[in-house]
């Protein structure tokens, strides 16, 4: 794996004093050193792996949790089979303590099977955990549910998420490699479905890139930013930035927070992307170019442009959206799609 550009770092910040509004506005990834160093889980992990495992077992809620399992042959990389038609892991369910026991039993194995609890909502699965392990986003008026990621040496293939993301390394170490959104073509995205973790991922093997098959990946690497997180460190990942995450220790835990800066009544753009693929992508080139002009006018250009010449009362959907207008638009779209 080639080294990228070192990422900007901020140090000495308390969780309640994170400059999240400024980070979102800047739209650049940033390492936040030590913001979670006082968490009870971080402190347990610094004592020993067994102490961290024991701490997590104390939150067993008695409810089975989903986790991915893969044999030693996948080398810790949930991905695809050779023809990209199926994933190389199976989703199982078990008590959290069962998963932790299985991970502990293979800590010393040179080629362990892969265990990966991904994006597990903490409030449901580990009640009480947030009391002594929290990044303080609520104090800044940010409504972000916390999720926990537990596993052994797992590699999350390069992907993007639509919300902004604060990811806190609690146990073990993680290496992040990030790319700006405009690198999508150079990252060779895989199928939309199935997809590891439910998100489209790059099909490039970052550990063993084959530049004869993926030559544009060299261009992506020129803009890559890298970060290695120790226990207690965090990283801010802006919305839509691609990120490849490699867990480096035999046992690793990460806690993350996703949130959107836009109003909750605005829809996610992903369904609009899928709808546009269905309705526009396979049109003749001349029509596609015309629709690109129309989309630029109504969607991608300045929000006020399309209706600025009309009286306020006549703008309708050309005016900025509010909650009642968003509900009306949703109802209209559902009615049209169901015809």
């Amino acid at each position: 794996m080639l080294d990228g550009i070192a990422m900007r770092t901020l140090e000495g910040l308390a969780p309640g004093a994170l400059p999240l509004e400024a980070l979102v506005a800047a739209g650049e990834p940033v390492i936040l050193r030590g913001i979670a160093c006082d968490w009870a889980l971080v402190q347990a992990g610094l004592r020993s792996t067994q102490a961290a495992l024991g701490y997590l077992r104390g939150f067993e809620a008695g409810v089975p949790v989903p986790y991915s399992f893969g044999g030693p042959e996948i080398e810790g990389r949930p991905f695809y089979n050779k023809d990209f038609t199926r994933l190389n892991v199976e989703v199982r369910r078990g008590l959290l303590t069962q998963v932790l026991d299985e991970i502990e039993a293979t800590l010393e194995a040179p080629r362990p099977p892969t265990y990966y609890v991904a994006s597990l909502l903490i409030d449901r699965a580990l009640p009480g955990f947030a009391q002594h392990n929290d990044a303080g986003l609520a104090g800044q008026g940010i409504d972000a549910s916390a999720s926990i990621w537990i596993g052994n040496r797992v590699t999350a293939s390069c992907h993007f998420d639509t919300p902004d993301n604060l990811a806190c390394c609690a146990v073990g170490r993680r290496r992040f490699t990030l790319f700006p959104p405009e690198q999508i073509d150079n990252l060779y995205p895989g199928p939309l479905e199935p997809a590891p973790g439910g998100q489209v991922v790059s099909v490039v093997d970052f550990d063993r890139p084959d530049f004869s098959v993926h030559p544009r990946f060299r261009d992506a690497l020129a803009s890559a930013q890298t970060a290695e997180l120790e226990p207690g460190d965090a990283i801010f990942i802006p919305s839509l930035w691609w990120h490849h995450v490699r867990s480096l220790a035999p046992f690793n835990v990460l806690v993350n927070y996703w949130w959107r800066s836009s109003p909750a009544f605005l829809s996610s753009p992903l369904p609009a992307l899928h709808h546009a693929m269905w309705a526009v992508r396979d049109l003749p080139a001349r029509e596609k170019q015309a629709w690109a002009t129309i989309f630029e006018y109504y969607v991608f250009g300045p929000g006020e442009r399309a209706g600025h010449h009309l009286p306020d009362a006549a703008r309708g959907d050309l005016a900025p959206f509010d909650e009642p207008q968003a509900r009306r638009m949703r109802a209209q779209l559902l009615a049209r799609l169901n015809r």
Side-chain angles (χ1 to χ4, degrees), residues 60-138:
E60 174 61 68
V63 178
V65 301
Y67 66 99
S68 295
F69 173 84
E73 68 279 0
I74 76 167
E75 298 181 328
R77 186 189 181 207
F79 195 61
Y80 296 97
N81 62 358
K82 289 184 178 181
D83 62 4
F84 297 95
T85 58
R86 297 194 313 274
L87 301 182
N88 65 357
V89 294
E90 60 179 282
V91 177
R92 297 179 174 181
R93 299 185 68 85
L95 295 179
L96 178 62
T97 49
Q98 171 197 329
V99 182
L100 295 173
D101 289 347
E102 293 184 19
I103 293 175
E104 185 174 24
T106 61
L107 285 175
E108 304 299 326
R111 295 181 73 241
T114 295
Y115 295 93
Y116 194 32
V117 177
S119 193
L120 187 65
L121 286 175
I122 286 174
D123 284 346
R124 296 179 185 175
L126 286 80
F129 176 89
Q131 182 178 355
H132 300 291
N133 305 273
D134 185 67
L137 273 66

Side-chain angles (χ1 to χ4, degrees), residues 141-229:
I142 294 175
D143 182 15
S145 297
S147 298
I148 195 166
W149 309 68
I150 304 170
N152 45 10
R153 284 192 174 95
V154 178
T155 295
S157 294
C158 196
H159 64 283
F160 70 87
D161 300 304
T162 53
D164 293 305
N165 184 5
L166 181 70
C168 304
C169 182
V171 181
R173 294 179 297 115
R174 272 179 163 82
R175 180 180 175 85
F176 288 77
T177 306
L178 274 66
F179 304 85
E182 59 267 24
Q183 289 299 321
I184 181 171
D185 189 40
N186 296 330
L187 291 169
Y188 298 88
L192 296 178
E193 292 183 0
Q199 290 282 36
V200 61
V201 303
S202 167
V203 300
V204 178
D205 185 342
F206 278 37
D207 291 325
R208 295 175 290 270
D210 185 342
F211 294 110
S212 67
V213 177
H214 306 122
R216 294 190 306 276
F217 185 57
R218 290 189 188 276
D219 296 326
L221 287 174
S223 66
Q225 297 189 35
T226 61
E228 192 163 309
L229 268 58

Side-chain angles (χ1 to χ4, degrees), residues 305-323:
R305 178 175 63 185
H308 79 281
H309 55 285
L310 299 173
D312 289 350
R315 290 183 180 179
D317 291 337
L318 301 179
F321 275 89
D322 56 19
E323 190 161 0

